[in-house]
Amino acid sequence: MPTTVLIADFDLPTRSASGFLVRWIVPRLEPIPLYAFLARRKPFQFSAPQSDIIIGMGHGDKDVFTGQDEVVILEVSKYDPKEVQEKVIKLLSCQAGMVLGPDLILNGAEAFLGYVDDYVWVMDADLASTPWSDKMAATSLMPVIDGLNALLDGKTAGEAYQIELDGYLKNAEIEEDELIKSCLEFNYDNAVLLGDREARIRRRPPLPLPFRMIPPPPILVPLRR
Protein backbone atom coordinates (compact mmCIF):
# COMPACT_ATOMS: atom_id res chain seq x y z
CA MET A 1 0.00 0.00 0.00
CA PRO A 2 1.37 3.50 -0.82
CA THR A 3 2.63 5.93 1.78
CA THR A 4 1.70 9.58 2.00
CA VAL A 5 4.70 11.55 3.26
CA LEU A 6 4.34 15.31 3.07
CA ILE A 7 7.47 17.38 3.77
CA ALA A 8 7.52 21.16 3.75
CA ASP A 9 10.87 22.84 3.08
CA PHE A 10 10.76 26.63 2.85
CA ASP A 11 12.21 28.08 6.07
CA LEU A 12 14.90 27.08 8.54
CA PRO A 13 12.74 24.89 10.84
CA THR A 14 11.19 22.96 7.95
CA ARG A 15 14.57 22.62 6.22
CA SER A 16 16.09 21.24 9.41
CA ALA A 17 13.37 18.64 9.99
CA SER A 18 12.99 17.79 6.30
CA GLY A 19 16.67 16.88 6.12
CA PHE A 20 16.26 14.09 8.65
CA LEU A 21 13.17 12.71 6.90
CA VAL A 22 14.91 12.81 3.52
CA ARG A 23 17.98 11.09 5.00
CA TRP A 24 16.36 8.34 7.08
CA ILE A 25 12.69 7.88 6.08
CA VAL A 26 12.01 8.77 2.44
CA PRO A 27 14.31 6.05 0.96
CA ARG A 28 12.08 3.41 2.61
CA LEU A 29 8.87 4.69 1.06
CA GLU A 30 6.93 4.68 -2.16
CA PRO A 31 5.82 6.45 -4.32
CA ILE A 32 7.37 9.94 -4.79
CA PRO A 33 7.15 11.98 -1.55
CA LEU A 34 5.16 15.21 -1.47
CA TYR A 35 8.29 17.27 -0.90
CA ALA A 36 8.67 21.08 -1.03
CA PHE A 37 6.47 22.47 -3.84
CA LEU A 38 4.45 19.20 -3.88
CA ALA A 39 3.56 19.58 -0.20
CA ARG A 40 0.16 21.11 -0.98
CA ARG A 41 -3.49 20.28 -0.60
CA LYS A 42 -4.32 18.83 -4.04
CA PRO A 43 -1.48 16.26 -4.17
CA PHE A 44 -2.33 15.29 -0.59
CA GLN A 45 -6.02 14.80 -1.46
CA PHE A 46 -5.03 12.41 -4.25
CA SER A 47 -2.45 10.43 -2.27
CA ALA A 48 -3.91 10.17 1.24
CA PRO A 49 -6.98 7.96 0.59
CA GLN A 50 -4.78 5.27 -0.97
CA SER A 51 -2.34 5.10 1.95
CA ASP A 52 -2.22 3.23 5.25
CA ILE A 53 0.07 5.83 6.88
CA ILE A 54 0.32 9.60 6.65
CA ILE A 55 3.58 11.24 7.71
CA GLY A 56 3.47 15.03 7.70
CA MET A 57 6.07 17.64 8.58
CA GLY A 58 5.19 21.31 8.47
CA HIS A 59 3.91 24.11 10.60
CA GLY A 60 0.70 23.80 12.55
CA ASP A 61 -1.68 25.08 15.16
CA LYS A 62 -4.17 23.41 17.46
CA ASP A 63 -6.70 22.83 14.66
CA VAL A 64 -4.62 22.90 11.47
CA PHE A 65 -1.60 21.36 9.76
CA THR A 66 0.12 23.19 6.89
CA GLY A 67 2.55 22.29 4.13
CA GLN A 68 4.75 24.31 1.79
CA ASP A 69 4.54 28.06 2.40
CA GLU A 70 1.97 27.31 5.14
CA VAL A 71 -0.70 26.14 2.70
CA VAL A 72 -3.43 24.38 4.69
CA ILE A 73 -3.36 20.58 4.34
CA LEU A 74 -5.65 19.43 7.15
CA GLU A 75 -8.01 21.65 9.10
CA VAL A 76 -10.78 20.66 11.48
CA SER A 77 -14.12 20.30 9.64
CA LYS A 78 -12.51 21.08 6.27
CA TYR A 79 -11.26 17.74 4.98
CA ASP A 80 -12.86 14.58 3.61
CA PRO A 81 -12.88 11.77 6.22
CA LYS A 82 -11.83 9.37 3.44
CA GLU A 83 -8.41 11.06 3.56
CA VAL A 84 -7.75 9.80 7.10
CA GLN A 85 -9.93 6.74 7.71
CA GLU A 86 -8.14 3.57 8.84
CA LYS A 87 -4.74 5.27 8.82
CA VAL A 88 -1.91 5.80 11.26
CA ILE A 89 -1.03 9.50 11.19
CA LYS A 90 2.16 11.15 12.44
CA LEU A 91 2.39 14.94 12.28
CA LEU A 92 5.66 16.62 13.19
CA SER A 93 4.16 20.06 13.75
CA CYS A 94 3.24 22.38 16.56
CA GLN A 95 0.08 21.92 18.66
CA ALA A 96 -1.85 19.68 16.23
CA GLY A 97 -2.43 17.15 18.99
CA MET A 98 -4.76 19.52 20.81
CA VAL A 99 -7.77 19.71 18.46
CA LEU A 100 -6.80 18.37 15.02
CA GLY A 101 -5.50 15.07 16.36
CA PRO A 102 -8.71 14.20 18.25
CA ASP A 103 -10.74 15.30 15.22
CA LEU A 104 -8.76 12.94 12.97
CA ILE A 105 -9.56 10.06 15.33
CA LEU A 106 -13.26 10.99 15.39
CA ASN A 107 -13.21 10.91 11.58
CA GLY A 108 -11.83 7.39 11.41
CA ALA A 109 -8.04 7.54 11.78
CA GLU A 110 -6.75 4.49 13.65
CA ALA A 111 -4.00 6.31 15.54
CA PHE A 112 -2.55 9.80 15.74
CA LEU A 113 0.93 10.72 16.97
CA GLY A 114 1.77 14.37 17.45
CA TYR A 115 2.25 17.14 20.01
CA VAL A 116 -0.09 19.25 22.14
CA ASP A 117 2.30 22.22 22.24
CA ASP A 118 5.05 23.59 20.02
CA TYR A 119 7.74 21.19 18.86
CA VAL A 120 11.08 22.78 19.75
CA TRP A 121 14.72 22.04 18.98
CA VAL A 122 18.07 23.79 18.48
CA MET A 123 19.43 23.88 14.94
CA ASP A 124 22.51 25.18 13.15
CA ALA A 125 21.62 27.60 10.33
CA ASP A 126 25.07 27.13 8.80
CA LEU A 127 24.12 23.51 7.99
CA ALA A 128 20.94 24.35 6.06
CA SER A 129 22.30 22.72 2.89
CA THR A 130 23.07 19.45 4.75
CA PRO A 131 20.59 19.54 7.66
CA TRP A 132 20.97 15.80 8.41
CA SER A 133 24.54 16.53 9.58
CA ASP A 134 23.35 18.91 12.33
CA LYS A 135 24.24 17.12 15.56
CA MET A 136 22.37 19.64 17.73
CA ALA A 137 19.15 19.12 15.79
CA ALA A 138 19.70 15.35 15.74
CA THR A 139 19.42 15.22 19.52
CA SER A 140 15.71 16.06 19.27
CA LEU A 141 14.83 14.88 15.77
CA MET A 142 16.39 11.42 15.81
CA PRO A 143 13.91 10.16 18.44
CA VAL A 144 11.17 11.15 15.97
CA ILE A 145 13.00 9.31 13.19
CA ASP A 146 13.45 6.24 15.40
CA GLY A 147 9.73 6.21 16.18
CA LEU A 148 8.82 6.53 12.51
CA ASN A 149 11.19 3.75 11.53
CA ALA A 150 9.57 1.57 14.19
CA LEU A 151 6.19 2.15 12.52
CA LEU A 152 7.69 1.29 9.13
CA ASP A 153 9.19 -1.87 10.65
CA GLY A 154 5.65 -3.01 11.52
CA LYS A 155 5.65 -2.13 15.22
CA THR A 156 2.46 -0.83 16.83
CA ALA A 157 1.68 2.84 17.29
CA GLY A 158 2.16 2.38 21.03
CA GLU A 159 5.59 0.80 20.56
CA ALA A 160 6.68 3.56 18.17
CA TYR A 161 5.44 6.24 20.56
CA GLN A 162 7.39 4.72 23.44
CA ILE A 163 10.57 4.50 21.32
CA GLU A 164 10.31 8.24 20.62
CA LEU A 165 9.72 9.04 24.30
CA ASP A 166 12.61 6.83 25.41
CA GLY A 167 14.86 8.63 22.91
CA TYR A 168 14.11 12.01 24.45
CA LEU A 169 14.82 10.72 27.95
CA LYS A 170 18.02 8.96 26.94
CA ASN A 171 19.36 12.04 25.16
CA ALA A 172 18.31 14.37 27.98
CA GLU A 173 20.21 12.27 30.51
CA ILE A 174 23.53 12.76 28.73
CA GLU A 175 22.97 16.26 27.30
CA GLU A 176 25.21 18.94 28.82
CA ASP A 177 23.69 21.94 27.06
CA GLU A 178 20.81 23.16 29.22
CA LEU A 179 18.84 24.64 26.31
CA ILE A 180 18.94 21.43 24.29
CA LYS A 181 18.10 19.43 27.41
CA SER A 182 15.07 21.63 28.10
CA CYS A 183 13.88 21.15 24.49
CA LEU A 184 14.08 17.38 24.90
CA GLU A 185 12.11 17.48 28.13
CA PHE A 186 9.54 19.84 26.60
CA ASN A 187 8.94 17.58 23.59
CA TYR A 188 8.73 14.55 25.86
CA ASP A 189 6.04 16.22 27.95
CA ASN A 190 4.00 17.30 24.93
CA ALA A 191 4.12 14.19 22.75
CA VAL A 192 0.74 12.46 22.49
CA LEU A 193 -0.69 9.23 21.10
CA LEU A 194 -4.43 9.10 20.40
CA GLY A 195 -6.58 6.25 19.17
CA ASP A 196 -5.60 2.59 19.00
CA ARG A 197 -2.20 1.88 20.55
CA GLU A 198 -2.19 -1.50 18.78
CA ALA A 199 -2.64 0.00 15.30
CA ARG A 200 0.06 -0.94 12.84
CA ILE A 201 0.76 -0.64 9.11
CA ARG A 202 2.20 -2.94 6.48
CA ARG A 203 5.90 -3.38 7.07
CA ARG A 204 8.16 -1.48 4.67
CA PRO A 205 11.54 -2.71 3.41
CA PRO A 206 14.54 -1.60 5.51
CA LEU A 207 16.67 1.34 4.49
CA PRO A 208 18.80 0.19 1.52
CA LEU A 209 22.50 -0.13 2.26
CA PRO A 210 23.65 2.70 -0.07
CA PHE A 211 21.35 5.15 1.72
CA ARG A 212 22.65 4.01 5.11
CA MET A 213 26.24 4.56 4.01
CA ILE A 214 26.01 7.65 1.79
CA PRO A 215 24.00 10.77 2.76
CA PRO A 216 22.04 12.74 0.14
CA PRO A 217 23.74 15.53 -1.82
CA PRO A 218 23.50 19.08 -0.42
CA ILE A 219 20.16 20.83 -0.80
CA LEU A 220 20.66 23.87 -3.01
CA VAL A 221 17.12 25.30 -2.96
CA PRO A 222 17.22 28.71 -1.21
CA LEU A 223 15.17 29.23 1.94
CA ARG A 224 12.59 31.89 2.52
CA ARG A 225 13.95 34.18 5.18
Side-chain angles (χ1 to χ4, degrees):
M1 182 171 279
T3 301
T4 294
V5 55
L6 186 145
I7 306 173
D9 184 1
F10 63 94
D11 59 7
L12 185 57
T14 57
R15 170 60 59 83
S16 176
S18 71
F20 286 84
L21 290 165
V22 168
R23 175 72 173 91
W24 299 109
I25 300 299
V26 169
R28 298 189 65 178
L29 304 179
E30 76 296 327
I32 297 171
L34 304 181
Y35 175 70
F37 70 93
L38 290 175
R40 298 184 181 278
R41 176 73 183 145
K42 285 296 183 181
F44 176 84
Q45 285 178 288
F46 176 77
S47 175
Q50 306 173 62
S51 306
D52 60 351
I53 182 171
I54 295 172
I55 301 169
M57 188 284 296
H59 290 296
D61 208 330
K62 61 183 180 180
D63 60 350
V64 66
F65 167 71
T66 66
Q68 189 74 358
D69 298 321
E70 300 190 71
V71 172
V72 172
I73 304 298
L74 287 168
E75 185 174 4
V76 170
S77 302
K78 295 184 180 180
Y79 61 90
D80 187 336
K82 292 181 181 179
E83 297 168 15
V84 303
Q85 288 170 352
E86 300 180 355
K87 305 182 194 315
V88 174
I89 301 174
K90 168 68 177 187
L91 297 183
L92 178 55
S93 68
C94 296
Q95 301 184 31
M98 292 184 66
V99 178
L100 179 59
D103 189 71
L104 296 171
I105 297 298
L106 286 174
N107 279 284
E110 288 193 3
F112 170 85
L113 298 96
Y115 309 89
V116 295
D117 208 321
D118 292 345
Y119 189 89
V120 296
W121 72 102
V122 178
M123 64 200 83
D124 187 343
D126 291 337
L127 296 175
S129 64
T130 57
W132 48 82
S133 65
D134 185 347
K135 293 182 179 180
M136 291 192 299
T139 305
S140 287
L141 291 174
M142 282 308 296
V144 179
I145 296 301
D146 291 341
L148 283 171
N149 273 317
L151 284 174
L152 299 178
D153 288 340
K155 294 187 180 298
T156 67
E159 290 171 323
Y161 176 67
Q162 192 60 52
I163 285 170
E164 180 175 343
L165 293 182
D166 290 346
Y168 294 136
L169 291 180
K170 178 182 176 181
N171 290 348
E173 288 176 358
I174 61 175
E175 181 57 55
E176 297 180 355
D177 185 288
E178 288 301 318
L179 177 58
I180 295 177
K181 182 182 179 71
S182 67
C183 289
L184 289 162
E185 293 170 343
F186 188 83
N187 294 332
Y188 173 89
D189 289 338
N190 289 295
V192 63
L193 167 60
L194 307 174
D196 183 3
R197 297 183 65 91
E198 298 303 311
R200 68 175 79 224
I201 63 167
R202 177 181 61 82
R203 185 180 183 275
R204 270 46 173 190
L207 190 69
L209 183 60
F211 291 98
R212 281 183 274 161
M213 302 294 292
I214 304 172
I219 301 173
L220 302 179
V221 178
L223 296 175
R224 188 187 75 191
R225 298 294 183 181

